[in-house]
Amino acid sequence: MRESERATASTAADTTSTAETADHHTAHEEPDRSPVAVARRLLDATRRSGAADGATGTSGDGAADTSGDGAADTSGDGAADTSADEAVIDGAGVDEALAELAALSSTALAPVREDRATALAFWLTLYNAGTQVLLAREPERYESRLRGVRFFGYEWLEIDGEWLSLDDIEHGILRGSQSKYGLGYLPRLPVVSVDAFERRYRLASVDPRIHFALNCGAASCPPIRYYDPGEIDTQLDLATAGYLDATVEYDPDAGVVTVPAPFRWYPGDFADPVAFLQRYDAVPADAEPRLQYESWDWSRAPGKFASE
């Protein structure tokens, strides 16, 4: 081989070796261990193989479980998903993500305690992911007539050494220690419900838009979206506007606006519900309608992710 050919071959070999080394490092690159990234991996694992059944469930005696006047609500995309079979999730992925969450140190979780945007993105994602895992692994808890205790009150998610329920996340942390039954005006009982963990992690005030971002597994729930700290306000506005557009009905002649059940459950969270509706163009800016509340369809509807 001539000297020039040897030089060319050597250069090519060096280039190949460098590329292979880069590929090797890329393949073994450590995943993002931030709290939001770990929570998102858990959510990803619940939809990797179809997430969940998407079937309209029943409760108790087999009839669709509804509240109020018994009429079934439509879901955030306009209709309850009634397709498919049984729940299928990436079990190994779920277990790995749950272990990662449990292993997050208090130091690693500092941004969740100190930054509102990070806290919203983390807890919203964790709640929605946790709901999907429970629906798939223990659907009988949701179908129970004691759903409020057996499903929403079940403490099974470990964060910073504390075992949390979905209620702990929603009412204790995201709603800032507000009572589940206090209409948005009464705090949780400090001795019974509020512990040191909750006081460390709870948000200072409730953002009413969370009610259109949390998916509790019911047909009437809004679809599940991904939330990022850097875009959280834009994303929450998008989720809120989409859900209100699909569910709110305004009758100008009767002076009545029909709104989803969260407005009845937590009026204090919204402060001025009509102004909130006007903000999202659900009613005209000069309207002062009377509120009427749609019933909530509690039929089990897992796997309800928003279209990307």
Side-chain angles (χ1 to χ4, degrees), residues 29-210:
E29 187 175 330
E30 281 294 309
D32 186 349
R33 301 287 184 186
S34 68
V36 174
V38 177
R40 181 162 182 155
R41 280 199 286 278
L42 178 61
L43 185 58
D44 282 339
T46 70
R47 70 180 302 186
R48 194 168 298 166
S49 300
D53 61 20
T56 298
T58 58
S59 63
D61 58 5
D65 186 6
T66 58
S67 59
D69 62 10
D73 283 6
T74 56
S75 60
D77 57 2
D81 184 357
T82 56
S83 63
D85 260 322
E86 271 309 307
V88 179
I89 63 174
D90 176 1
V94 165
D95 290 338
E96 183 177 338
L98 288 173
E100 279 190 90
L101 285 164
L104 287 172
S105 68
S106 182
T107 300
L109 287 161
V112 176
R113 296 191 299 273
E114 299 166 2
D115 180 68
R116 167 189 168 275
T118 300
L120 284 169
F122 176 73
W123 294 113
L124 288 172
T125 302
L126 186 59
Y127 182 98
N128 290 337
T131 295
Q132 295 305 301
V133 174
L134 268 190
L135 289 175
R137 290 187 165 179
E138 301 189 59
E140 70 282 357
R141 288 183 176 275
Y142 186 88
E143 303 294 2
S144 169
R145 291 188 179 277
L146 298 176
R147 179 188 297 128
V149 175
R150 298 199 63 228
F151 187 82
F152 295 108
Y154 177 41
E155 296 178 344
W156 68 281
L157 275 166
E158 186 180 3
I159 304 291
D160 198 5
E162 188 82 5
W163 292 95
L164 302 178
S165 68
L166 295 175
D167 272 353
D168 289 332
I169 296 174
E170 179 179 4
H171 306 293
I173 297 172
L174 285 168
R175 296 186 62 235
S177 295
Q178 289 293 304
S179 170
K180 181 178 182 176
Y181 306 106
L183 302 177
Y185 300 111
L186 300 176
R188 296 179 106 193
L189 295 175
V191 177
V192 177
S193 302
V194 182
D195 56 20
F197 178 94
E198 186 171 306
R199 286 191 290 272
R200 291 179 70 207
Y201 282 93
R202 66 189 176 189
L203 275 70
S205 60
V206 61
D207 186 326
R209 297 175 297 176
I210 66 169

